[in-house]
Amino acid sequence: MINLLQNELIKLVAKKRIVVVTMIMAALIAMFTYAQYKETERLKERLGTTDWRTSLQQQIVDTQNRLSGSRISEEWKKQLQIRVTQQQYYLDHNINPAEPGAPTFVRGFVENSIQLLLPLMIMVVAADLVSSEHSMGTVKLLLTRPVKRWKILLSKYMTLVFSVSLIILLFGLLAYLISGIVFGFTGWKAPVLTGFTIEGGELDTSAVHLIPQWQYLLMELGLAWFVSLVVGTFSFMLSVLIRSTAAGMGVMLACLISGTILSSMVSSWESAKYLFMVNLDLTSYLRGAAPPIEGMSLGFSLAVLSIWGAAALLVSFIVFIRQDVY
């Protein structure tokens, strides 16, 4: 088993997929860091101050002005009202929700990347772990070895788990180092509020409590790792079922994009909450954002994703063990 795993890791390094993913992440993080810096400068010029209370008060006024518009949907109105209530809660308790520094940037970047960007990076690695063996014609050579098929597939899946862990680690490190050059490296102990819940479309603050930002970041990265592993497992299954890497990536890309669209459109389609792509934004529960469909919670989304991931892994092993190779 050790030799199989070592062989798969050598293949992974030879393909240079991790290097490509790292370069893409570094370029995107640098771009978003610059965009965040320009936004900060714009707000400073607009308000004439860097005081966070003034900035937050202006955000509340802007959101309230949007709420007064007649063209906004009822679902979006509810989300904006919840956001205003949260922002006012931060003001009332004199807590800056955007403490300057690299940890704050990493926190926001993870929140915005967990549903699409990170899964796409994982898909690049996972989509051809098995299908590439068919396209390159090496699958016959691999299966002629005196090793059970399930061990061969298990070594590939263990390589996927390693890849997911490495990508999440690199993601956090790159975001911290690159943004720290612009915003500074402080802010690990900044207070962050969590525990917001939505009950009947209203924000419930009874369970809200303070935690240091480093602890909040660990929770976010843990959830990002879990989402990435589930998406990677689903891509892994497609790699087994579809012998074309391009076709497998296309199917997975369609699922991820449709999930992003559905999350903002399915409030009236209750059964859509059982689709895995609607449950990817786990960090939204930490910050108290309204779920796509009423009744969804962190525990519910974790359970749905776990079931989808386990089913995908089971299908992968059954098909790989039983399929004919020609």
Side-chain angles (χ1 to χ4, degrees):
M1 190 65 192
I2 298 297
N3 291 334
L4 284 173
L5 181 58
Q6 184 180 6
N7 185 50
E8 291 301 325
L9 290 174
I10 291 173
K11 289 181 185 177
L12 181 68
V13 173
K15 291 178 182 177
K16 299 183 179 178
R17 292 292 176 90
I18 298 294
V19 175
V20 172
V21 167
T22 302
M23 292 175 65
I24 293 173
M25 288 194 300
L28 291 175
I29 290 168
M31 182 175 65
F32 288 124
T33 299
Y34 179 74
Q36 184 68 43
Y37 170 75
K38 295 299 291 185
E39 178 65 16
T40 303
E41 291 296 308
R42 187 189 68 81
L43 283 174
K44 180 180 178 181
E45 182 178 344
R46 177 186 173 191
L47 301 176
T49 179
T50 57
D51 180 52
W52 69 268
R53 293 184 63 87
T54 303
S55 176
L56 193 56
Q57 286 168 346
Q58 186 60 50
Q59 290 178 39
I60 292 174
V61 171
D62 292 342
T63 306
Q64 288 173 334
N65 289 336
R66 293 176 64 186
L67 284 168
S68 62
S70 58
R71 297 182 179 180
I72 191 170
S73 66
E74 288 301 318
E75 290 80 5
W76 187 235
K77 272 187 178 181
K78 288 181 181 179
Q79 296 211 17
L80 290 178
Q81 287 167 348
I82 291 170
R83 184 186 300 176
V84 169
T85 306
Q86 283 181 319
Q87 291 171 333
Q88 190 61 53
Y89 191 94
Y90 273 98
L91 271 178
D92 295 342
H93 291 78
N94 198 35
I95 296 172
N96 184 1
E99 187 77 21
T104 301
F105 175 87
V106 176
R107 188 182 84 199
F109 197 52
V110 173
E111 290 172 356
N112 290 302
S113 304
I114 190 171
Q115 196 170 7
L116 188 58
L117 179 59
L118 270 174
L120 285 175
M121 296 297 100
I122 300 300
M123 183 187 70
V124 171
V125 176
D128 75 334
L129 280 174
V130 180
S131 59
S132 62
E133 301 285 359
H134 289 280
S135 60
M136 296 173 62
T138 55
V139 65
K140 293 181 180 179
L141 179 63
L142 186 65
L143 295 181
T144 54
R145 301 175 67 180
V147 180
K148 293 184 181 297
R149 286 193 177 192
W150 69 265
K151 288 187 176 181
I152 293 174
L153 195 63
L154 180 60
S155 67
K156 288 183 175 293
Y157 188 73
M158 290 174 67
T159 302
L160 172 64
V161 175
F162 170 79
S163 301
V164 169
S165 304
L166 182 60
I167 288 173
I168 295 297
L169 177 62
L170 290 172
F171 181 85
L173 286 175
L174 286 171
Y176 177 68
L177 294 174
I178 294 174
S179 64
I181 297 172
V182 178
F183 302 114
F185 296 96
T186 59
W188 286 106
K189 295 182 179 180
V192 179
L193 287 171
T194 188
F196 293 104
T197 54
I198 311 299
E199 296 290 341
E202 300 293 331
L203 185 68
D204 182 7
T205 59
S206 60
V208 172
H209 57 282
L210 278 172
I211 60 173
Q213 187 155 232
W214 66 265
Q215 186 176 341
Y216 190 93
L217 268 175
L218 286 179
M219 293 165 63
E220 275 197 338
L221 290 171
L223 292 176
W225 179 86
F226 179 75
V227 167
S228 299
L229 183 61
V230 171
V231 171
T233 302
F234 205 81
S235 300
F236 185 75
M237 180 192 70
L238 292 175
S239 181
V240 174
L241 297 178
I242 305 174
R243 299 185 179 186
S244 168
T245 301
M249 292 180 71
V251 172
M252 197 65 220
L253 182 61
C255 290
L256 293 175
I257 293 176
S258 63
T260 303
I261 297 172
L262 282 171
S263 295
S264 59
M265 296 176 60
V266 295
S267 58
S268 58
W269 182 19
E270 189 173 350
S271 57
K273 64 184 180 182
Y274 298 106
L275 298 174
F276 85 93
M277 55 272 207
V278 179
N279 290 273
L280 295 180
D281 192 9
L282 295 183
T283 56
S284 63
Y285 297 112
L286 292 183
R287 63 180 186 272
I293 302 172
E294 191 172 348
M296 292 176 64
S297 64
L298 178 59
F300 174 84
S301 291
L302 286 171
V304 169
L305 290 175
S306 297
I307 292 171
W308 275 92
L313 191 59
L314 181 62
V315 170
S316 300
F317 274 89
I318 291 175
V319 172
F320 187 80
I321 291 171
R322 295 183 177 181
Q323 70 181 353
D324 293 327
V325 177
Y326 49 86

